[in-house]
Amino acid sequence: MPPGGGGPMKDCEYSQISTHSSSPMESPHKKKKIAARRKWEVFPGRNKFFCNGRIMMARQTGVFYLTLILILVTSGLFFAFDCPYLAVNITPAIPVVGGILFFFVMGTLLRTSFSDPGVLPRATPDEAADLERQIDIANGTSSGGYRPPPRTKEVTINGQTVKLKYCFTCKIFRPPRASHCSLCDNCVERFDHHCPWVGNCVGKRNYRFFYMFILSLSFLTVFIFAFVITHVILRSQQTGFLNALKDSPASVLEAVVCFFSVWSIVGLSGFHTYLISSNQTTNEDIKGSWSNKRGKENYNPYSYGNIFTNCCVALCGPISPSLIDRRGYIQPDTPQPAAPSNGITMYGATQSQSDMAAATPLLQSEPSLTSEELHMPGKPGLGTPCASLTLGQPTPPSSMPNLATEATLSDIMPLKDEHGGHQFLTPDEAPSPPRMLGAGSPLAHSRTMHMLGLASQDSLHEDSVRGLVKLSSV
């Protein structure tokens, strides 16, 4: 550009579209770090979690704390007031055996209360929609109005027909022996019952620990009750019955608590021993689902027909892993790119696409300049009529828009023959887009072409600007 012609052009600045907010990808250091959330934080059931999801309990845990207090207080009084006397007068093995039973009871209680009983994960919206679609297709109701899916589905297990119920809360067909707990609001696999004394449901993953808890608690209660009575009898032989009660009031409290609790605990242990031997659950026994006799129609398809095998399966079989993955991280949603709009190049466009956009002046707009601003020394302005056109040549229309370019029209479209008059380029002779020109092309080292002003193609004369339209479409 000649000196003196760059003054007006420096005042013109191109308006750039900011794509920072619409870009689907940003620099990592500019993003705000969002702490990853674990699945237990958004768990849909009515449960409480502690220790970052390691401990899972029901929401109503008041009775569990009562159970804990009764065991701790009764055992503590026994070890503090009865064991010293019994260890001296009978044998030191009494506090040792009592300690072993106590720690076993506490271990199984906490294991039952703090573990996942076998909660089944709820169906995602996509899975629920797919299940309902399959049900509609199977029933031939896809074209009709809304119809809720059927509540049952029949499967055959060991020759016995078992009905699977559909859970409208979890949006799944519950597996065999599973049931929905109304207190925890979860479907539990091999659901036995909800026990408020342990503060959790009893199901497939913690049933054996529950059984060992009530069985060991029965032994501990009987053990404490028996030796408390022994302690009172030995003291009464030395100082009399009333003096024995006055000397050891804690023994009286222990005897009362053990007497009223031993019957229920022992009875509960016997009932679950019967259930384990027949491979049934409390839920199935209360409903009368199965009969213990194979000859009947509603025989138990889960029983192995042997008491020893049923007990080994319930107490010694492998523990299935948890299905809810409560300590896993929630996967963030993948950002979706926004739909491209007219005149905006989306993030990720290739360089060749950017070059093609630069060679297409009608796709972008920018401020237009007057003929005085584009007038350069020695060259006619774009707004002035072209005086060198000979008679008979088509003249540009008066409505032709101003062109915001650095060079003149003669620089954009060089003449085919300088001595043969002004002629427009044919389509075959039109220059190629940027970065597609040959090394020897006269336009390879020309000045960069800028965007033409936005114009309506309907107002351009077909004969006079055919070469310009062809150049724009490349």
Side-chain angles (χ1 to χ4, degrees), residues 62-359:
V63 184
F64 163 74
Y65 295 123
L66 177 61
T67 305
L68 206 61
I69 290 173
L70 289 175
I71 296 175
L72 291 175
V73 170
T74 306
S75 301
L77 293 176
F78 175 74
F79 289 118
F81 295 97
D82 297 296
C83 284
Y85 181 87
L86 296 173
V88 173
N89 292 274
I90 300 180
T91 174
I94 293 178
V96 175
V97 175
I100 294 174
L101 286 174
F102 170 75
F103 284 109
F104 190 83
V105 167
M106 292 301 300
T108 53
L109 172 62
L110 298 180
R111 182 65 173 80
T112 305
S113 303
F114 294 165
S115 62
D116 170 24
V119 175
L120 295 171
R122 303 190 182 192
T124 62
D126 294 338
E127 294 172 346
D130 183 67
L131 179 61
E132 292 181 3
R133 183 167 54 254
Q134 293 178 9
I135 294 173
D136 291 341
I137 294 176
N139 296 339
T141 59
S142 58
S143 60
Y146 174 75
R147 180 179 178 182
R151 292 186 58 86
T152 58
K153 180 186 292 186
E154 293 185 351
V155 295
T156 303
I157 300 177
N158 294 330
Q160 181 77 356
T161 301
V162 179
K163 292 184 178 181
L164 307 182
K165 293 184 178 181
Y166 181 83
C167 180
F168 286 93
T169 302
C170 301
K171 305 297 182 183
I172 60 172
F173 276 101
R174 292 193 289 261
R177 316 187 83 177
S179 183
H180 191 88
C181 177
S182 58
L183 296 177
C184 295
D185 198 23
N186 296 315
C187 280
V188 181
E189 194 173 7
R190 199 186 182 277
F191 178 76
D192 191 89
H193 70 288
H194 181 92
C195 183
W197 296 97
V198 300
N200 203 351
C201 288
V202 179
K204 182 178 181 179
R205 299 190 69 250
N206 63 350
Y207 179 78
R208 68 178 61 183
F209 302 105
F210 172 79
Y211 176 74
M212 289 188 289
F213 162 67
I214 58 176
L215 189 64
S216 59
L217 183 60
S218 300
F219 285 116
L220 179 62
T221 305
V222 172
F223 181 84
I224 292 176
F225 181 74
F227 280 102
V228 164
I229 298 299
T230 303
H231 180 207
V232 173
I233 292 174
L234 292 177
R235 277 188 177 274
S236 62
Q237 292 177 354
Q238 297 175 356
T239 60
F241 183 73
L242 294 178
N243 291 331
L245 296 180
K246 291 179 181 180
D247 294 339
S248 180
S251 299
V252 178
L253 179 61
E254 297 168 38
V256 171
V257 172
C258 292
F259 177 79
F260 286 101
S261 60
V262 69
W263 308 107
S264 59
I265 297 174
V266 172
L268 186 62
S269 301
F271 173 68
H272 279 278
T273 301
Y274 155 74
L275 293 179
I276 287 180
S277 63
S278 59
N279 200 347
Q280 292 188 78
T281 64
T282 303
N283 189 39
E284 293 170 348
D285 183 76
I286 292 176
K287 293 180 178 179
S289 303
W290 315 117
S291 174
N292 294 330
K293 296 182 180 180
R294 279 280 181 179
K296 292 190 176 182
E297 296 181 357
N298 61 333
Y299 65 89
N300 186 5
Y302 309 107
S303 177
Y304 292 90
N306 188 307
I307 295 177
F308 178 77
T309 306
N310 289 336
C311 293
C312 289
V313 170
L315 301 177
C316 304
I319 301 177
S320 59
S322 178
L323 301 178
I324 55 177
D325 188 25
R326 58 187 184 273
R327 298 194 69 245
Y329 289 99
I330 301 175
Q331 297 296 332
D333 296 335
T334 305
Q336 299 294 332
S341 59
N342 295 333
I344 301 177
T345 304
M346 293 303 298
Y347 183 87
T350 59
Q351 186 65 31
S352 61
Q353 292 174 338
S354 301
D355 294 341
M356 291 294 293

